[in-house]
Amino acid sequence: MKSKMIDENQLRYLDGFRNEENNLILEMETFAVENQIPILDRHAAAFLELQIKMCRPKRVLEIGTAIGYSSIRIARNLSNKSILHTIEKSEDSIKLAAENINKSGLTDKIVLFKGNALELMPNISKKYDFVFLDADKEDYKRLFDYSLMLLKKKGILFVDNLLWHGYAAAARVPKKYKTSTKMVREFNKVFMSQKNLHATIVTIGDGIGLAVKSKKRKKKE
Ligand SMILES: C[S@@+](CC[C@H](N)C(=O)[O-])C[C@H]1O[C@@H](n2cnc3c(N)ncnc32)[C@H](O)[C@@H]1O
């Protein structure tokens, strides 16, 4: 589904500046459209790459690999000795992601964990500098709690789909999207009011939540 956040003219104008030279990335974008696989919007992916370049994280966790598109875009910006751990539960996606990661030549930078993040995350002990959450909306709240537990202080949390194709802010929502929209709206309230996060939601792609973990704010006496 296309983003409704920015009008088509502006997107076309911005696309005019695009200089992606990696054929694998371009092929994966086409594959995702043709096979209706919901990968990160390309403008949001460019923004994610910039965050990785600026934050220079040593350890990155991605929840929701799909075909490995954002994993590769993250990993190609990691500095030496940095690593991306990415979690995917769908067998079909795991197979495609593994193939794409092999093709990318970034196997030394990406570790693909197979399984449900809700089961895997509680067993991870070492914390991360950067967490990218991009999974099922029904799981977002619980995955968010685990993400916060696994995020170092001053670590960055990057969350996709917080404007949910425009439905988060819409007065009328199609029946098919009612439950997921409710989940996203509830998630946004928690995300924006979390005491130990400095958070914002930006209108890039499908709405990106970006936050830095801080100390818990003390209650005023
Ligand atoms: C939106 S896609 C991820 C797209 C990917 N980040 C990209 O931009 O290239 C979401 C993926 O998360 C996976 N997923 C959803 N909930 C999950 C969970 N609880 N644990 C592991 N994977 C999950 C789905 O199977 C799906 O492949």
Side-chain angles (χ1 to χ4, degrees):
M1 197 193 316
K2 274 193 174 172
S3 165
K4 295 176 185 162
M5 241 57 74
I6 308 180
D7 80 32
E8 288 293 324
N9 276 340
Q10 293 189 37
L11 281 178
R12 250 194 306 277
Y13 170 73
L14 293 176
D15 275 337
F17 294 103
R18 196 164 188 217
N19 56 359
E20 179 61 66
E21 286 171 352
N22 186 320
N23 279 335
L24 177 61
I25 294 289
L26 298 170
E27 280 165 28
M28 288 171 86
E29 288 174 3
T30 307
F31 180 88
V33 172
E34 286 172 358
N35 294 279
Q36 298 185 322
I37 295 167
I39 60 167
L40 191 61
D41 166 271
R42 59 185 178 278
H43 299 280
F47 185 60
L48 172 61
E49 288 196 351
L50 199 61
Q51 296 298 322
I52 297 288
K53 271 191 194 296
M54 290 192 305
C55 304
R56 300 174 64 82
K58 287 262 173 288
R59 285 170 53 81
V60 181
L61 176 66
E62 174 182 57
I63 308 150
T65 319
I67 58 172
Y69 173 76
S70 52
S71 314
I72 292 169
R73 294 198 62 164
I74 291 170
R76 70 178 179 173
N77 289 286
L78 289 175
S79 48
N80 275 350
K81 294 189 184 160
S82 294
I83 194 89
L84 168 68
H85 290 167
T86 182
I87 308 178
E88 176 54 56
K89 67 178 180 182
S90 148
E91 287 292 339
D92 292 345
S93 297
I94 288 167
K95 198 167 162 277
L96 291 168
E99 281 171 20
N100 286 324
I101 292 166
N102 273 335
K103 281 189 206 163
S104 75
L106 290 164
T107 46
D108 58 332
K109 293 244 156 280
I110 306 174
V111 182
L112 178 55
F113 289 109
K114 301 159 191 176
N116 191 328
L118 289 169
E119 288 158 20
L120 296 177
M121 287 174 81
N123 298 315
I124 301 176
S125 51
K126 209 168 161 196
K127 294 193 171 187
Y128 293 90
D129 307 284
F130 196 108
V131 176
F132 171 37
L133 175 54
D134 191 15
D136 290 347
K137 304 316 142 210
E138 294 73 23
D139 295 341
Y140 255 32
K141 177 60 185 68
R142 282 193 296 157
L143 290 172
F144 172 69
D145 291 340
Y146 289 134
S147 299
L148 277 184
M149 274 165 42
L150 287 176
L151 195 61
K152 288 183 197 168
K153 205 158 79 192
K154 297 188 183 166
I156 303 292
L157 181 59
F158 190 104
V159 190
D160 193 25
N161 305 116
L162 296 191
L163 289 170
W164 199 227
H165 317 297
Y167 297 134
R172 286 192 180 177
V173 177
K175 204 171 169 195
K176 189 177 156 197
Y177 291 99
K178 275 208 161 47
T179 307
S180 53
T181 301
K182 187 169 174 273
M183 299 279 183
V184 171
R185 285 175 179 165
E186 283 171 5
F187 177 85
N188 287 345
K189 278 189 202 158
V190 175
F191 179 73
M192 292 303 287
S193 61
Q194 187 72 27
K195 290 225 165 12
N196 57 344
L197 275 188
H198 192 108
T200 189
I201 299 173
V202 290
T203 55
I204 299 175
D206 195 25
I208 297 295
L210 188 61
V212 59
K213 187 172 171 181
S214 54
K215 278 188 193 159
K216 266 200 176 135
R217 276 177 256 154
K218 279 187 189 154
K219 278 187 192 159
K220 280 185 187 159
E221 286 172 21

